[in-house]
Amino acid sequence: MPNANEETPSALSQVQHRAVSELLRVAPVADDLARRFQEAGFSLALVGGSVRDALLGRLGNDLDFTTDARPQDVLKIMRPWADALWEVGIAFGTVGAQKNARVGDADRHFQIEVTTYRSEAYDRTSRKPEVSYGDSIEEDLVRRDFTVNAMAVALPEKEFIDPHGGLEDLASRVLRTPGTPEESFSDDPLRMMRAARFAAQLDFEVAPEVVAAMNAMAGRIEIVSAERVRDELNKLILSPHPRKGLSLLVETGLADRVLPELPALRLERDEHHRHKDVYDHTLIVLEQAMALEDDGPDLTLRLAALLHDIGKPRTRRFEKDGRVSFHHHEVVGAKMTKKRMTTLKYSNELVKDVSRLVELHLRFHGYGTGEWTDSAVRRYVRDAGPLLDRLHKLTRSDCTTRNKRKAAALSRAYDGLEERIAKLQEQEELDSIRPDLDGNQIMEILGVGPGPVIGRAYKHMLELRLENGPMEHDSAVAALKEWWAEQEG
């Protein structure tokens, strides 16, 4: 690959050196596929994110290619070569495949997408891009979202194609559009969110003219489907620097249209953190939650951190003593979370989990320095259920005070609660709290068949279990009979 800019050799030569080694690593698969296209009379190039990631030294097993071959020709070429083939994106000119190959000493599974040269554009009311195929790679690259994604490597000859200065922008860590930002965002308004997402993923700056266009055209995002907006938002939230992307969405007005609850927090003052507004507090909580993740990015935890205080604007009250209160903001916030996530077409399970965490995030603040009874601890665990570990992380993250003594006291108190939970779990198997009598035993003891009364009896025995801990069998039977006598009386 020749040097694209001899005037700034240091930064560019570094990225090109990384690219060469990355491309050599995938060459056995990429070159093999390219030769097949060549033999069929077509060209093939590695393109977009794959070239960008190769230049950044982070190319994985997902490879994107572009070609002048039409989708049906692509299928014909790839069907005998790929280990698996799918046509989900064929309406947009994309054929997907899996190829298993031995590279060096390792067996690798490549996820491959080959897309016909194309151009996309929205009309004023469409929610889906209109696709038309092109005949040159230059035509294909100019319609791509950003210059750092508008580079290609023609295969198998390894010719580097960069008509829009993407390599220089990559070295400068800046996001620009190949044409004017207005043209780019008119073609696909989701690109405005992609600018924020790439800023968060790559820790790049967004060029001023791109930010200006995002501000001017933010309203155009409303023609994009909720599913596409949600998917882009997820990628942003799961990125290494979500604050950067979220801040850009808020500053440009895009958040007002896709996640209005977030910018609404800027106007509020948090009664516990007078030095910062709730918006800033929320972004700190998100970053602190990220620091507690165990196995990579956790979408459920991050969404809960982002949304945990969205009920505050609606519940703000100015008290007579001059303080500001937000009574029951966790309950209101849980309902708002459910509504927003449902609008964005999140799965029912994820909506349920995130809104539950929002609802429970304040529960610990009644714990004080350990005043809870064992019964209260059991209920905390029961109510959190499988979300308990995430609730621990969210609650710890929600402390953003600069008062070191107060922060240390809160941390010690939560340490104490976790120790009590661990001890009770060891003694009582808290994760699977059940009454000391099951439904069949209750029916047998009371001499009653299935029906609502058994449900009420079961609930009563569960309350006793939560209140008192495990009971001996005879004591449980006596308690059930006592309850039954009261019902009959």
Side-chain angles (χ1 to χ4, degrees), residues 12-57:
L12 296 181
S13 60
Q14 284 176 15
V15 294
Q16 286 178 296
H17 178 75
R18 285 198 296 265
V20 169
S21 59
E22 291 285 283
L23 293 172
L24 285 173
R25 195 165 50 80
V26 302
V29 170
D31 288 352
D32 183 27
L33 185 59
R35 278 190 291 270
R36 290 172 179 268
F37 273 80
Q38 209 171 42
E39 288 165 6
F42 300 108
S43 58
L44 187 74
L46 197 69
V47 74
S50 292
V51 176
R52 180 199 69 222
D53 287 346
L55 290 163
L56 291 172

Coordinates of all heavy atoms in Angstrom, one line a residue, residues 12-57:
L12 N 0.9 8.9 9.5 CA 0.4 8.1 8.4 C 1.1 6.8 8.3 O 0.5 5.8 8.1 CB 0.3 8.9 7.1 CG -0.6 10.1 7.1 CD1 -0.5 10.8 5.8 CD2 -2.0 9.7 7.5
S13 N 2.4 6.9 8.4 CA 3.2 5.6 8.2 C 2.9 4.6 9.3 O 2.9 3.4 9.1 CB 4.7 5.9 8.1 OG 5.2 6.5 9.3
Q14 N 2.6 5.1 10.5 CA 2.3 4.3 11.6 C 1.0 3.5 11.3 O 0.9 2.3 11.5 CB 2.1 5.1 12.9 CG 3.5 5.5 13.5 CD 3.2 6.4 14.7 OE1 2.1 6.4 15.3 NE2 4.3 7.0 15.2
V15 N 0.0 4.3 10.9 CA -1.3 3.6 10.6 C -1.2 2.6 9.4 O -1.8 1.6 9.4 CB -2.5 4.6 10.4 CG1 -2.8 5.4 11.7 CG2 -2.2 5.5 9.3
Q16 N -0.4 3.0 8.4 CA -0.2 2.1 7.3 C 0.5 0.9 7.6 O 0.2 -0.2 7.1 CB 0.4 2.9 6.1 CG -0.5 3.9 5.5 CD 0.2 4.7 4.4 OE1 1.1 5.4 4.6 NE2 -0.2 4.5 3.1
H17 N 1.5 1.0 8.5 CA 2.2 -0.2 8.9 C 1.3 -1.1 9.7 O 1.4 -2.4 9.4 CB 3.4 0.3 9.9 CG 4.2 -0.9 10.4 ND1 5.1 -1.6 9.7 CD2 4.1 -1.5 11.6 CE1 5.6 -2.6 10.4 NE2 5.0 -2.5 11.6
R18 N 0.4 -0.6 10.5 CA -0.5 -1.5 11.2 C -1.5 -2.1 10.2 O -1.8 -3.3 10.3 CB -1.4 -0.6 12.2 CG -0.7 -0.3 13.5 CD -1.7 0.2 14.5 NE -2.4 1.4 14.2 CZ -2.0 2.6 14.5 NH1 -0.9 2.8 15.2 NH2 -2.8 3.6 14.1
A19 N -1.9 -1.4 9.2 CA -2.8 -1.9 8.2 C -2.2 -3.0 7.4 O -2.9 -4.1 7.2 CB -3.2 -0.8 7.2
V20 N -0.9 -2.9 7.0 CA -0.3 -4.0 6.3 C -0.3 -5.3 7.0 O -0.6 -6.3 6.5 CB 1.2 -3.5 5.9 CG1 1.9 -4.7 5.3 CG2 1.1 -2.4 4.8
S21 N 0.1 -5.2 8.3 CA 0.2 -6.4 9.1 C -1.2 -7.0 9.3 O -1.4 -8.2 9.3 CB 0.8 -6.1 10.5 OG 0.1 -5.2 11.2
E22 N -2.2 -6.1 9.5 CA -3.6 -6.6 9.7 C -4.1 -7.3 8.4 O -4.8 -8.3 8.5 CB -4.5 -5.5 10.1 CG -4.3 -4.9 11.5 CD -4.8 -5.8 12.6 OE1 -6.0 -5.8 12.8 OE2 -4.0 -6.5 13.2
L23 N -3.9 -6.7 7.3 CA -4.3 -7.2 6.0 C -3.6 -8.5 5.7 O -4.2 -9.4 5.1 CB -4.2 -6.2 4.9 CG -5.1 -4.9 5.1 CD1 -4.7 -3.9 4.0 CD2 -6.6 -5.3 4.9
L24 N -2.4 -8.6 6.0 CA -1.7 -9.9 5.8 C -2.3 -11.0 6.6 O -2.3 -12.2 6.1 CB -0.2 -9.7 6.1 CG 0.7 -8.9 5.2 CD1 2.1 -8.7 5.7 CD2 0.8 -9.6 3.8
R25 N -2.8 -10.6 7.7 CA -3.4 -11.7 8.6 C -4.7 -12.3 8.0 O -5.0 -13.4 8.1 CB -3.7 -11.0 10.0 CG -4.0 -11.9 11.1 CD -4.0 -11.2 12.4 NE -4.7 -10.0 12.5 CZ -6.1 -10.0 12.7 NH1 -6.7 -11.1 12.8 NH2 -6.7 -8.9 12.7
V26 N -5.5 -11.4 7.3 CA -6.7 -11.9 6.7 C -6.5 -12.3 5.2 O -7.5 -12.7 4.5 CB -7.9 -10.9 6.9 CG1 -8.1 -10.6 8.3 CG2 -7.6 -9.7 6.1
A27 N -5.3 -12.0 4.7 CA -5.1 -12.2 3.2 C -5.5 -13.6 2.7 O -6.1 -13.6 1.6 CB -3.6 -11.9 2.9
P28 N -5.2 -14.7 3.4 CA -5.6 -16.0 2.8 C -7.1 -16.1 2.4 O -7.4 -16.6 1.4 CB -5.3 -17.0 3.9 CG -4.2 -16.3 4.7 CD -4.5 -14.8 4.7
V29 N -7.9 -15.5 3.3 CA -9.4 -15.6 3.0 C -9.8 -14.5 2.0 O -10.5 -14.8 1.0 CB -10.2 -15.4 4.3 CG1 -11.7 -15.2 4.0 CG2 -10.0 -16.6 5.2
A30 N -9.3 -13.3 2.2 CA -9.7 -12.1 1.3 C -9.2 -12.3 -0.1 O -9.9 -12.1 -1.1 CB -9.1 -10.8 1.9
D31 N -7.9 -12.8 -0.2 CA -7.4 -13.0 -1.6 C -8.0 -14.1 -2.3 O -8.3 -14.1 -3.5 CB -5.9 -13.2 -1.5 CG -5.1 -12.0 -1.1 OD1 -5.7 -10.9 -1.0 OD2 -3.9 -12.1 -0.8
D32 N -8.3 -15.2 -1.6 CA -9.0 -16.3 -2.2 C -10.4 -15.9 -2.8 O -10.7 -16.2 -3.9 CB -9.2 -17.4 -1.1 CG -9.8 -18.7 -1.7 OD1 -9.7 -18.9 -2.9 OD2 -10.5 -19.4 -0.9
L33 N -11.1 -15.1 -2.0 CA -12.4 -14.7 -2.4 C -12.3 -13.7 -3.6 O -13.0 -13.8 -4.6 CB -13.2 -14.0 -1.3 CG -14.6 -13.5 -1.6 CD1 -15.5 -14.7 -2.0 CD2 -15.2 -12.8 -0.3
A34 N -11.3 -12.8 -3.5 CA -11.1 -11.8 -4.6 C -10.7 -12.5 -5.9 O -11.2 -12.1 -7.0 CB -9.9 -10.9 -4.2
R35 N -9.9 -13.6 -5.9 CA -9.6 -14.3 -7.1 C -10.8 -14.9 -7.7 O -11.0 -15.0 -9.0 CB -8.5 -15.4 -6.8 CG -7.1 -14.9 -6.7 CD -6.1 -16.0 -6.7 NE -6.1 -16.7 -5.4 CZ -5.4 -16.3 -4.4 NH1 -4.6 -15.3 -4.4 NH2 -5.5 -17.0 -3.3
R36 N -11.7 -15.4 -6.9 CA -13.0 -16.0 -7.5 C -13.8 -14.9 -8.2 O -14.4 -15.2 -9.2 CB -13.8 -16.6 -6.3 CG -13.1 -17.9 -5.8 CD -13.8 -18.5 -4.6 NE -13.2 -19.7 -4.1 CZ -13.6 -20.9 -4.5 NH1 -14.6 -21.1 -5.4 NH2 -12.9 -22.0 -4.1
F37 N -13.9 -13.7 -7.6 CA -14.6 -12.6 -8.3 C -13.9 -12.2 -9.6 O -14.5 -12.0 -10.6 CB -14.7 -11.4 -7.3 CG -15.9 -11.5 -6.4 CD1 -15.9 -12.3 -5.3 CD2 -17.1 -10.8 -6.7 CE1 -17.0 -12.3 -4.4 CE2 -18.2 -10.8 -5.9 CZ -18.1 -11.6 -4.7
Q38 N -12.5 -12.2 -9.5 CA -11.7 -11.8 -10.7 C -12.0 -12.8 -11.8 O -12.2 -12.4 -13.0 CB -10.3 -11.8 -10.3 CG -9.4 -10.9 -11.1 CD -8.0 -10.8 -10.5 OE1 -7.4 -11.8 -10.1 NE2 -7.5 -9.6 -10.4
E39 N -12.0 -14.1 -11.5 CA -12.2 -15.1 -12.5 C -13.6 -15.0 -13.1 O -13.8 -15.4 -14.3 CB -12.0 -16.5 -11.9 CG -10.5 -16.8 -11.6 CD -10.4 -18.0 -10.7 OE1 -11.4 -18.7 -10.3 OE2 -9.2 -18.3 -10.2
A40 N -14.6 -14.5 -12.4 CA -15.9 -14.4 -12.9 C -16.1 -13.0 -13.6 O -17.2 -12.7 -14.1 CB -16.9 -14.5 -11.7
G41 N -15.0 -12.2 -13.7 CA -15.1 -11.0 -14.4 C -15.5 -9.8 -13.6 O -15.9 -8.7 -14.1
F42 N -15.4 -9.9 -12.2 CA -15.8 -8.8 -11.4 C -14.6 -8.3 -10.5 O -13.6 -9.1 -10.3 CB -17.0 -9.2 -10.5 CG -18.2 -9.6 -11.3 CD1 -18.6 -10.9 -11.3 CD2 -18.9 -8.7 -11.9 CE1 -19.7 -11.3 -12.0 CE2 -20.1 -9.0 -12.6 CZ -20.5 -10.4 -12.7
S43 N -14.7 -7.2 -9.9 CA -13.7 -6.7 -9.0 C -14.2 -6.8 -7.5 O -15.5 -6.9 -7.3 CB -13.4 -5.2 -9.3 OG -14.5 -4.4 -9.2
L44 N -13.3 -6.8 -6.6 CA -13.7 -6.9 -5.2 C -12.7 -6.1 -4.4 O -11.5 -6.0 -4.7 CB -13.6 -8.4 -4.7 CG -14.1 -8.7 -3.3 CD1 -15.6 -8.6 -3.2 CD2 -13.6 -10.0 -2.8
A45 N -13.2 -5.4 -3.4 CA -12.4 -4.6 -2.5 C -12.8 -4.7 -1.1 O -14.0 -4.7 -0.8 CB -12.4 -3.1 -2.9
L46 N -11.9 -4.7 -0.2 CA -12.2 -4.6 1.3 C -12.5 -3.1 1.5 O -11.9 -2.2 0.9 CB -10.9 -4.9 2.1 CG -11.2 -5.2 3.6 CD1 -11.9 -6.5 3.8 CD2 -9.8 -5.3 4.3
V47 N -13.5 -2.8 2.3 CA -14.1 -1.4 2.3 C -14.5 -1.0 3.7 O -14.8 -1.9 4.6 CB -15.2 -1.3 1.3 CG1 -16.5 -2.0 1.8 CG2 -15.5 0.1 0.9
G48 N -14.7 0.3 3.9 CA -15.4 0.8 5.0 C -14.7 0.6 6.3 O -13.5 0.7 6.5
G49 N -15.6 0.1 7.3 CA -15.1 -0.2 8.6 C -13.9 -1.1 8.7 O -13.1 -1.0 9.6
S50 N -13.9 -2.1 7.8 CA -12.8 -3.1 7.8 C -11.5 -2.4 7.5 O -10.5 -2.7 8.1 CB -13.1 -4.2 6.8 OG -14.2 -5.0 7.2
V51 N -11.4 -1.5 6.5 CA -10.2 -0.8 6.2 C -9.8 0.2 7.4 O -8.7 0.2 7.8 CB -10.3 0.0 4.9 CG1 -9.1 0.8 4.6 CG2 -10.6 -1.0 3.7
R52 N -10.8 0.9 7.9 CA -10.6 1.8 9.0 C -10.0 1.0 10.2 O -9.0 1.4 10.8 CB -11.9 2.4 9.4 CG -11.8 3.3 10.6 CD -13.2 3.6 11.3 NE -13.7 2.4 11.9 CZ -14.9 1.9 11.9 NH1 -15.8 2.5 11.1 NH2 -15.3 0.8 12.5
D53 N -10.6 -0.2 10.5 CA -10.1 -0.9 11.7 C -8.7 -1.6 11.4 O -7.9 -1.7 12.3 CB -11.1 -2.0 12.0 CG -12.4 -1.5 12.7 OD1 -12.3 -0.3 13.1 OD2 -13.4 -2.2 12.8
A54 N -8.5 -1.9 10.1 CA -7.1 -2.4 9.8 C -6.1 -1.3 10.0 O -5.0 -1.5 10.6 CB -7.1 -2.9 8.3
L55 N -6.4 -0.1 9.7 CA -5.5 1.0 9.9 C -5.3 1.4 11.3 O -4.3 1.9 11.8 CB -6.0 2.3 9.1 CG -5.9 2.2 7.6 CD1 -6.8 3.2 6.9 CD2 -4.5 2.4 7.1
L56 N -6.4 1.1 12.1 CA -6.3 1.3 13.6 C -5.7 0.1 14.3 O -5.5 0.2 15.6 CB -7.7 1.6 14.2 CG -8.3 2.9 13.7 CD1 -9.8 3.0 14.2 CD2 -7.5 4.1 14.3
G57 N -5.4 -1.0 13.6 CA -4.8 -2.1 14.2 C -5.8 -2.9 15.0 O -5.4 -3.6 16.0

